[in-house]
Amino acid sequence: MSFPTAVEAELDRRRRRWRPLLWLAVLALAGAVLVAVLLLVRVLQSGTPYYPDEETHFRHGSIGAETASGIPYKVWKALPTLFPEAFGTTGDYRAFGFLYDEDDDLPIGISRRTVSGVELVWFNCAVCHTGTVRNSTEDPPLTISGMPAQQLDLHLFTRFVLAASRDPRMAPAPLSAAMRDSGVGLDPVEALLWKVAVFPRLREGMIDRAARLSPLLDRQPDWGPGRVDTFNPYKVLAFDDDARALSDQEVVGASDFPSIFQQRPREGMQLHWDGNNTSLAERNLSAALGAGVTPQTADHAAIERVARWLGDLTPPASPHRPDAAAADRGKAVYMETCAACHGYRGDQGYVFEGARLGTVEPLASVGTDPARLNSYTPTFQQAQLRELFAGTPYAFRQFRKTNGYANAPLDGLWLRGPYLHNGSVPTLRDLLRPPDERPASFRRGRDVIDPDGGFVSPACTEGPGCYDTSLPGNSNTGHLWGTALPEAQTSDLLAYLLTF
Ligand code: HEC
Ligand code: HEC
């Protein structure tokens, strides 16, 4: 047995003094490694829910728009808390005309995808292509996939998002507090990730988008519910065009949301309102770009799944019950005056046949508002062909510049009001009147069926949703076919059209 020397005793004392600190250091290191691992595990998370049901996929499935255009789910949830003044009485996105299925906390047409650990949300096809109808204000609305989202005010929504990007409430502290209050607070690991990567990118992204889009919206009348400018936002967001440099001729291009039933029989037809593309696949892909997908982020499998389902999606039968004899007489008038351009409704459903169906009617002949046609310029067309999906099997080849609007099939016509490419004529009855007898202004965005075809559209002079036909792009002139018939024939024709 030996006794420790004085030196050993001193060493032992020091060791004992340092030991707790050593342990602390080890713990800190382990903690840092743990946080790093947790962060890494989180950042590696990517993916999107799969919906086995086709219609649920259409309404809620992701087509790939979130990655480049979306915002975090938690921000989406917090915005109503943060900006109560913009979200009206319901306190949710209904304020902008978004629709909800009962079983989801996101509106129809808003899909989710986790990218590098952050769950993002943005548009899919259903946001613009699903609407509601009812027989009277007392009835509950019936939601129909494939009909135009006639209540969705994307202009109002875009304006809101752009204004929010400049609002001090979007700073990390108030935004985090609002997320907590909305029940979607950040956990500690997430908070770190957001601090480093999410908050800065969110703000930068929103400010960048505002800088490009605001000058464009400033040059356009409000689109109002049920419409979007198809190509001009694309010019400034994807091709870096300066909105201030767009010509007056092209800068207004608001288009009514079309219905998108029964796409398969439309293969090979010149469609889009101006008939600028004959390929169904390209129209679908181009539509996905409009939803915020980019060539890098497109989920081709998901888009093709939607496209396949739309191929045979038929509109629900018209609930209008016009006098059968009148409708029969009206059919004779229609076959004589309209069917060559539009096809017709037969006993077994819509017949996609007509000598001029799916071709373009020159503007000089159809005479409707030229703005949408002019918004699609040869310069833009060439950029599309040159740049979009270039070098891949998806490269655009079919887009062309046309000189008019397309002679399109009229299936599901009862769900398509207001009518014409700019949605300038509220009812079918109005479309059969000469332009100076059509309503000069009316309120859009209702879903109660009008017995004259389309939706009840009260007269108005101003305010949100009031459509003024005197504004650029909004003219209700043209399409004179069927406007000079004897009154009895007009009623018969209307009776037949109400059965479409
Ligand atoms: C932001 C709203 C919006 C979204 C999202 C959207 N569309 Fe559309 N869609 C439109 C508008 C507006 C048009 C009319 C374009 C034009 O000609 O000006 C259109 C046209 C179409 C057409 C051509 C209709 C025809 O017969 O001329 C098809 C098909 C279509 N969309 C399918 C889709 C699909 C599939 C998706 C999802 C991949 C989608 N859309 C997403 C607004 C949208
Ligand atoms: C020479 C071809 C041609 C004839 C004939 C014709 N149309 Fe059209 N129709 C068009 C074109 C082109 C458009 C698109 C115009 C636009 O949106 O600016 C259109 C649009 C429509 C629309 C609006 C569709 C929608 O979704 O908003 C309806 C309804 C319609 N036509 C009904 C008729 C009826 C009824 C007749 C017969 C009385 C008729 N058309 C005769 C070419 C024709």
Side-chain angles (χ1 to χ4, degrees):
M1 195 182 262
S2 68
F3 291 95
T5 63
V7 175
E8 278 175 328
E10 173 61 16
L11 281 177
D12 196 43
R13 216 166 41 80
R14 285 193 190 176
R15 242 180 255 130
R16 241 174 279 181
R17 184 148 33 100
W18 284 108
R19 196 167 293 150
L21 285 179
L22 199 71
W23 275 114
L24 265 182
V26 170
L27 271 179
L29 191 70
V33 170
L34 186 71
V35 170
V37 168
L38 285 176
L39 264 177
L40 194 70
V41 166
R42 181 115 14 172
V43 168
L44 287 178
Q45 279 172 4
S46 285
T48 184
Y50 179 82
Y51 302 98
D53 176 62
E54 300 298 327
E55 187 163 31
T56 313
H57 173 64
F58 175 71
R59 289 190 184 178
H60 299 287
S62 165
I63 56 170
E66 302 86 352
T67 316
S69 308
I71 58 173
Y73 168 76
K74 293 190 171 189
V75 173
W76 175 274
K77 292 298 283 181
L79 288 177
T81 310
L82 212 49
F83 301 97
E85 72 280 4
F87 283 82
T89 47
T90 59
D92 61 24
Y93 289 82
R94 268 171 265 254
F96 302 100
F98 289 91
L99 308 172
Y100 285 82
D101 272 334
E102 275 162 25
D103 51 350
D104 204 316
D105 70 334
L106 289 175
I108 293 173
I110 302 297
S111 56
R112 30 178 124 222
R113 178 181 293 263
T114 301
V115 181
S116 303
V118 184
E119 188 178 31
L120 302 173
V121 298
W122 203 238
F123 297 167
N124 68 17
C125 316
V127 76
C128 301
H129 293 299
T130 298
T132 61
V133 289
R134 46 188 163 166
N135 285 320
S136 77
T137 42
E138 279 83 61
D139 292 333
L142 183 69
T143 306
I144 297 177
S145 299
M147 72 170 277
Q150 86 276 42
Q151 298 172 76
L152 176 65
D153 195 334
L154 272 187
H155 194 273
L156 194 66
F157 180 69
T158 308
R159 279 271 187 219
F160 161 71
V161 174
L162 299 187
S165 69
R166 289 184 290 263
D167 195 291
R169 283 172 283 182
M170 284 300 280
L175 185 50
S176 301
M179 290 196 276
R180 257 194 322 276
D181 294 345
S182 315
V184 290
L186 300 173
D187 64 44
V189 177
E190 237 182 341
L192 200 63
L193 180 63
W194 278 56
K195 190 167 175 198
V196 188
V198 183
F199 282 125
R201 277 201 354 229
L202 174 70
R203 209 161 163 81
E204 258 169 53
M206 285 178 83
I207 289 172
D208 173 63
R209 234 190 286 185
R212 292 158 187 250
L213 273 179
S214 295
L216 175 65
L217 297 192
D218 289 345
R219 292 186 64 191
Q220 302 184 326
D222 289 1
W223 308 332
R227 301 201 311 169
V228 68
D229 186 314
T230 310
F231 294 111
N232 283 314
Y234 208 80
K235 295 175 194 169
V236 303
L237 290 177
F239 293 145
D240 275 341
D241 286 356
D242 182 346
R244 284 161 288 236
L246 298 177
S247 74
D248 287 338
Q249 274 245 314
E250 68 177 298
V251 77
V252 173
S255 319
D256 214 31
F257 298 145
S259 64
I260 53 170
F261 304 110
Q262 303 188 87
Q263 288 299 309
R264 208 178 308 282
R266 288 167 157 83
E267 180 66 67
M269 292 188 193
Q270 275 188 278
L271 290 179
H272 274 162
W273 287 116
D274 61 352
N276 65 8
N277 201 310
T278 49
S279 154
L280 204 54
E282 285 192 19
R283 287 204 295 271
N284 287 325
L285 206 51
S286 148
L289 296 175
V293 163
T294 70
Q296 290 74 37
T297 71
D299 185 337
H300 290 287
I303 296 167
E304 279 154 26
R305 191 173 161 211
V306 169
R308 268 197 307 279
W309 183 68
L310 293 174
D312 302 307
L313 179 70
T314 46
S318 165
H320 294 285
R321 291 285 170 266
D323 179 69
D328 274 352
R329 291 192 303 272
K331 182 172 183 183
V333 179
Y334 181 93
M335 295 311 285
E336 182 94 344
T337 347
C338 324
C341 288
H342 289 301
Y344 64 98
R345 195 191 69 84
D347 296 334
Q348 311 298 327
Y350 204 83
V351 180
F352 295 85
E353 285 167 20
R356 298 159 81 172
L357 179 66
T359 65
V360 167
E361 197 60 28
L363 190 66
S365 152
V366 63
T368 50
D369 191 287
R372 160 64 186 83
L373 175 64
N374 293 340
S375 74
Y376 188 76
T377 59
T379 314
F380 179 72
Q381 178 236 8
Q382 276 142 36
Q384 275 181 310
L385 297 186
R386 196 174 53 238
E387 291 178 31
L388 294 180
F389 300 97
T392 79
Y394 301 103
F396 285 162
R397 293 188 182 82
Q398 303 296 334
F399 274 101
R400 69 190 79 171
K401 176 66 193 157
T402 69
N403 66 348
Y405 290 108
N407 297 329
L410 299 180
D411 51 332
L413 195 56
W414 69 281
L415 297 163
R416 287 162 59 159
Y419 297 95
L420 296 183
H421 74 271
N422 54 0
S424 56
V425 181
T427 67
L428 290 172
R429 181 71 191 80
D430 293 321
L431 189 63
L432 299 177
R433 293 189 167 100
D436 57 356
E437 291 172 26
R438 297 171 183 167
S441 59
F442 59 94
R443 203 167 289 289
R444 294 178 56 106
R446 304 286 165 95
D447 65 352
V448 175
I449 295 165
D450 191 305
D452 283 342
F455 304 100
V456 170
S457 310
C460 63
T461 48
E462 56 182 7
C466 186
Y467 185 99
D468 179 351
T469 57
S470 69
L471 294 174
N474 283 7
S475 164
N476 63 354
T477 52
H479 199 283
L480 302 181
W481 299 286
T483 60
L485 298 168
E487 182 55 37
Q489 279 193 19
T490 306
S491 307
D492 292 347
L493 180 57
L494 178 63
Y496 176 57
L497 290 175
L498 287 174
T499 67
F500 279 41

